[in-house]
Amino acid sequence: MTDNLTLSHLGFEVSDLAAWETFATQVLGLTVARRGADGAFSLRMDGHAQRLWITPGPRDDLSFVGFEVDDGAALEARVAHVQSMGVDVAWAEADEAAARDVARLARFKDLNGVQVELVCGAARATGPFASEALISRFVADDLGLGHVVMRARDRQQSVDFYAQALGFVLSDRITCEIGGYPVDITFMHAASGPGRLSRHHSLAFGEKLPKRLHHFMLEVAVLDDVGRAYDRTVDHRHRITQTIGRHPNDRMVSFYALTPSGFEFEYGWGGLQVNDEVWESTTYDHISEWGHRRPPYPRPRD
Ligand SMILES: [Fe+2]
């Protein structure tokens, strides 16, 4: 496949829509794009009209993960390829695609039961993104919205599936122990293609995680916006799970905290971008160069 593929959108099923709206806008710095009749809403972070879809429900977890390709021809070729693997892929009706604000939409389930949405022609916003919370901007647009670390029943099988189905490429692996618990995560990037760069990882997989989604990552253009987001996270009493630190593989300086749904978000700056022509994968025995400490106790709620 020579077309571009990016992580384009995510769906979260959440039990507390009001908490999510406050969190997404006042802590993350996203803006509400649209509202649905059932209280659902979508969020904007860049030139895309919508990036995150927040829908009501008891799951408090990832409901779908979306990838965008260049055009209809690329989408048809990719759907045919996934079908050739014996995967059941369904084209969405026109009204379903319109509801997602894309030209065309095809869906299939990955090995872990997560709904994957392949789209083309995702609507772009008419005006520039502006957030009162940010002094810079989110690093997204052509790089995709960020990354997700998902739960795999079998990590290697999931890695192989996304490599075969969507052309994802091994970035690297981290195996270590944190606080007596084994950590083993494999990181993958979308194939960059000649002369192009991809985010170091858009997908990563670990096993034995409590939810489908361990965390999603949003990247900002200046380090100060990470510090400011850290302040907002503390001020809004969201529990910090890892203090500010730097990862050895994608070089990201970031922190982690809990969303209102109990899975985590990572907020970072300075993530590496990779070119397949020169990229060599490796295995790290540590997950952080410095920082990413677990606070000794949760901050009490008021
Ligand atoms: Fe991450």
Side-chain angles (χ1 to χ4, degrees), residues 87-226:
V87 177
D88 187 16
V89 187
W91 285 101
E93 298 296 331
D95 60 334
E96 292 178 285
R100 189 68 82 231
D101 219 1
V102 298
R104 297 188 74 189
L105 164 64
R107 296 187 175 108
F108 63 91
K109 291 274 176 71
D110 75 4
L111 297 183
N112 305 303
V114 172
Q115 179 167 285
V116 176
E117 297 191 349
L118 276 181
V119 306
C120 66
R124 267 44 174 188
T126 51
F129 174 76
S131 169
E132 290 181 3
L134 267 65
I135 55 175
S136 65
R137 61 182 175 81
F138 289 105
V139 177
D141 289 302
D142 291 345
L143 285 174
L145 75 83
H147 71 233
V148 285
V149 176
M150 298 194 290
R151 177 178 65 195
R153 295 190 185 109
D154 182 301
R155 187 177 42 76
Q156 190 58 50
Q157 284 182 9
S158 287
V159 167
D160 292 344
F161 178 83
Y162 275 88
Q164 190 183 351
L166 298 181
F168 274 86
V169 180
L170 176 66
S171 300
D172 41 45
R173 182 176 173 186
I174 296 180
T175 64
C176 61
E177 218 175 68
I178 298 178
Y181 293 97
V183 172
D184 194 344
I185 305 171
T186 300
F187 301 84
M188 308 183 80
H189 61 270
S192 58
R196 277 205 311 251
L197 294 174
S198 286
R199 195 185 293 282
H200 171 276
H201 60 278
S202 296
L203 288 181
F205 295 99
E207 297 178 0
K208 298 184 176 69
L209 297 168
K211 290 175 180 276
R212 286 174 163 180
L213 184 65
H214 179 268
H215 72 267
F216 67 102
M217 187 285 302
L218 303 179
E219 182 176 0
V220 283
V222 301
L223 181 58
D224 292 87
D225 268 327
V226 176

